[in-house]
């Protein structure tokens, strides 16, 4: 989409630059957004009427706080086309562009657009979406105050039905689990995969978060932090792909690009943790093919730490310049997450582990012995023992408990 400056818009519409600035600040110019101290205005935007029109009050085109996870965005490389389609729905357009910016790792832009919803009398899904975006910004920035503020905004979303209250409950659980890395706050109906409490438009996003919920359960069991009768070690982790594979197929049929990327990456993580490299690569490569056309580097950056170099290896085969940008985003994300999670949980979280050290720590947490880890990573047993000592020294923790640092 092409944009013009305030001065250019003023000349085009025959009004003063001050008038254009006021209209933008009042959210009267469709699709305009703040960039630093200036406003960027869609080239096709028109001078708004003196009063709000019914068109501007149109509800969200989908009943979901995650518009980008619905079938509005239904093909790789189609993000800008989708944004253009929403240009006459100001709230939906701003929400979609903010979510797209997040998937790209453009966190400052996300922050500005999230403030749009929280400073105007927006509807339920717009305010909820804005609150969720603020929470995501807080993670990348390592900002505890912003994270708490985001949760407050989510709680204050103007819900009027039981269905909307359930969505708020789920949203808060998602935010909490992203920092505490546990699944205790999820509603009971969600824990068994029952999405009947949610509108159909919210199901694609719910599937993504449900898979993350299952992964946290499998991780807790594999690392010994939780127990479930009859389930030990990586047993649940190895079964997770059996749940995710059908969901991926459904995402393909539904034409929901963002959920498909997240589901494929989550499935790849489960395969990778279970030692099934080729199956992991199959999903990684397909996720990369979906993400790169629209520069969805932020999504890929979030998953770097799970693969011990495998994700970087596959991206480099496709686009070296993209990998350079993704690495920058990854450093920003991991430091922000560690800072925020550490402050909220009152723990020191290590951010100085190498990819190899991180992988060793994970495998040891999953119960593998040094000899087994060495066989899996093509290292000698003595080297694995040395790395375990290095990890403990770097993280300032016991060699018997790496669960908090991976």
């Amino acid at each position: 989409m092409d944009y013009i400056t305030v001065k250019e818009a003023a000349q085009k519409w025959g009004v003063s630059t001050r008038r254009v600035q006021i209209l933008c600040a009042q959210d009267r110019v469709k699709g305009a957004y703040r960039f630093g101290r200036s406003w960027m205005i869609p080239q096709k935007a028109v001078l708004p009427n003196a009063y709000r029109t019914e068109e501007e009050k149109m509800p969200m085109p989908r009943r979901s706080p995650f518009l980008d996870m619905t079938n509005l965005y239904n093909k790789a490389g189609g993000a800008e086309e989708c944004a253009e389609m929403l240009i006459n729905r100001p709230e939906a357009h701003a929400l979609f562009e903010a979510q797209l910016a997040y998937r790209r790792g453009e966190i400052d832009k996300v922050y500005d657009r999230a403030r749009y919803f929280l400073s105007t009398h927006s509807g339920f899904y717009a305010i909820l979406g804005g609150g969720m975006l603020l929470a995501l910004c807080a993670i990348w920035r390592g900002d505890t105050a912003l994270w708490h503020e985001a949760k407050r905004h989510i709680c204050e979303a103007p819900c009027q039905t039981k269905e909307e209250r359930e969505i708020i409950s789920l949203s808060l659980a998602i935010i909490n689990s992203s920092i505490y890395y546990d699944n205790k706050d999820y509603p009971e109906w969600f824990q068994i995969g029952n999405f009947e409490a949610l509108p159909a438009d919210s199901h694609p996003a719910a599937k993504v978060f449900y898979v993350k919920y299952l992964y946290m359960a499998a991780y807790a069991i594999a690392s010994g932090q939780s127990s479930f009768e009859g389930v030990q070690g990586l047993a649940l982790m190895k079964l997770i792909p059996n749940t995710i594979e059908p969901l991926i197929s459904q995402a393909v049929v539904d034409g929901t690009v963002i959920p498909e990327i997240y589901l494929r990456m989550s499935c790849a993580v489960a395969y990778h943790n279970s030692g099934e490299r080729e199956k992991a690569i199959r999903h990684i490569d397909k996720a990369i093919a979906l993400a790169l056309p629209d520069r969805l580097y932020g999504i890929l950056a979030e998953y770097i730490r799970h693969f011990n170099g495998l994700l970087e290896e596959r991206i480099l085969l496709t686009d070296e310049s993209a990998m350079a940008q993704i690495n920058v985003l990854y450093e920003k994300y991991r430091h922000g997450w560690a800072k925020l999670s550490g402050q909220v949980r009152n723990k020191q979280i290590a951010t100085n582990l190498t990819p190899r050290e991180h992988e060793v720590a994970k495998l040891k947490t999953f119960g593998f012995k040094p000899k087994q880890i060495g066989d899996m990573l093509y290292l000698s047993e003595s080297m694995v023992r040395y790395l375990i000592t290095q990890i403990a020294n770097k993280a300032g923790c016991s060699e018997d408990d790496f669960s908090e640092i991976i």
Side-chain angles (χ1 to χ4, degrees):
M1 181 184 300
D2 295 325
Y3 290 88
I4 58 177
T5 64
V6 167
K7 182 178 180 180
E8 291 169 332
Q11 293 174 343
K12 177 181 177 181
W13 297 339
V15 297
S16 67
T17 56
R18 177 60 178 162
R19 177 60 178 161
V20 176
Q21 290 170 337
I22 292 173
L23 290 169
C24 289
Q26 294 176 340
D27 303 315
R28 302 289 295 117
V29 180
K30 298 175 182 178
Y33 71 90
R34 186 181 292 278
F35 184 79
R37 296 185 177 182
S38 303
W39 286 94
M40 300 301 294
I41 301 169
Q43 191 174 49
K44 296 181 180 180
V46 298
L47 178 66
N49 295 328
Y51 302 97
R52 290 188 179 271
T53 65
E54 288 303 313
E55 181 185 64
E56 289 180 290
K57 298 178 182 178
M58 292 176 70
M60 285 288 162
R62 298 290 187 274
R63 295 173 66 197
S64 172
F66 297 98
L67 282 184
D68 65 330
M69 287 196 181
T70 69
N71 60 3
L72 286 173
Y73 180 17
N74 55 27
K75 64 180 180 181
E80 300 300 338
E81 180 182 334
C82 183
E84 184 75 20
M85 180 181 67
L86 296 170
I87 191 67
N88 292 322
R89 293 175 177 261
E91 286 189 347
H93 180 265
L95 180 58
F96 179 82
E97 287 214 322
Q99 290 168 342
L100 180 62
Y102 176 76
R103 310 304 177 195
R104 289 173 170 170
E106 299 168 347
I107 304 306
D108 290 340
K109 182 177 178 181
V110 177
Y111 179 82
D112 288 340
R113 300 317 292 154
R115 289 296 183 192
Y116 167 91
F117 307 111
L118 304 176
S119 63
T120 61
H121 297 291
S122 301
F124 172 75
Y125 289 106
I127 290 178
L128 187 60
M132 295 291 284
L133 285 169
L134 271 192
L136 294 170
C137 286
I139 294 173
W140 280 72
R141 291 182 170 187
D143 190 331
T144 305
L146 183 60
W147 187 67
H148 287 298
E149 180 191 349
K151 292 174 68 175
R152 177 172 58 81
H153 284 303
I154 291 171
C155 291
E156 292 175 351
C159 63
Q160 298 179 347
T161 66
K162 184 178 184 299
E163 181 182 78
E164 290 174 347
R165 287 193 293 274
E166 295 288 3
I167 294 175
I168 288 179
S169 175
L170 176 58
S171 299
L172 290 172
I174 291 168
I175 294 303
N176 285 335
S177 67
S178 65
I179 295 301
Y180 293 104
Y181 212 70
D182 63 40
N183 51 23
K184 63 182 177 61
D185 292 331
Y186 283 92
E188 290 185 9
W189 52 267
F190 186 81
Q191 293 181 29
I192 61 174
N194 180 357
F195 303 153
E196 293 179 6
L198 304 174
D201 292 332
S202 293
H203 285 199
K207 292 172 184 176
V208 171
F209 295 118
Y210 182 65
V211 164
K212 291 186 176 183
Y213 164 82
L214 290 178
Y215 178 80
M216 282 186 285
Y219 174 86
I221 291 172
S223 61
Q225 298 177 68
S226 179
S227 60
F228 192 82
E229 186 176 355
V231 181
Q232 294 180 340
L234 289 171
L236 182 56
M237 185 75 71
K238 291 180 178 180
L239 288 175
I240 283 181
N242 295 346
T243 297
I244 306 178
E245 292 280 11
L247 298 181
I248 292 172
S249 298
Q250 189 61 52
V252 174
V253 172
D254 293 341
T256 50
V257 174
I258 298 294
E260 184 182 345
I261 295 173
Y262 275 113
L263 291 170
R264 287 191 183 280
M265 292 305 296
S266 295
C267 197
V269 170
Y271 278 133
H272 176 71
N273 288 341
S274 302
E276 300 190 72
R277 176 185 169 90
E278 293 306 314
K279 290 182 179 179
I281 287 175
R282 175 169 62 89
H283 284 297
I284 288 173
D285 287 351
K286 289 185 177 180
I288 291 171
L290 291 171
L292 292 189
D294 279 320
R295 308 185 311 282
L296 306 180
Y297 302 154
I299 298 178
L300 299 177
E302 291 179 17
Y303 281 91
I304 289 289
R305 67 191 181 96
H306 292 287
F307 290 105
N308 185 34
L310 180 59
L311 179 55
E312 295 101 311
E313 173 188 316
R314 305 310 297 181
I315 296 172
L316 282 170
L317 291 174
T318 304
D319 191 331
E320 292 186 10
S321 64
M323 189 64 250
Q325 296 179 63
I326 292 167
N327 273 330
V328 172
L329 293 176
Y330 169 59
E331 289 300 312
K332 183 176 182 179
Y333 174 78
R334 76 184 184 102
H335 283 286
W337 181 87
K339 180 181 178 181
L340 177 56
S341 184
Q343 289 175 345
V344 171
R345 295 191 289 164
N346 194 29
K347 292 182 179 293
Q348 184 69 35
I349 299 177
T351 59
N352 57 346
L353 300 183
T354 66
R356 177 54 56 87
E357 289 169 342
H358 187 276
E359 187 72 3
V360 169
K362 180 176 68 176
L363 292 174
K364 187 176 186 305
T365 298
F366 286 167
F368 290 104
K369 303 299 181 185
K371 176 66 167 63
Q372 295 172 306
I373 296 173
D375 291 342
M376 295 169 73
L377 301 182
Y378 304 102
L379 298 171
S380 67
E381 182 177 352
S382 60
M383 175 57 73
V384 172
R385 292 186 183 279
Y386 170 77
L387 289 173
I388 289 172
T389 300
Q390 286 289 94
I391 294 165
N393 290 337
K394 280 187 176 183
C397 65
S398 166
E399 293 185 10
D400 295 323
D401 186 12
F402 287 165
S403 61
E404 291 290 344
I405 65 175
I406 61 176

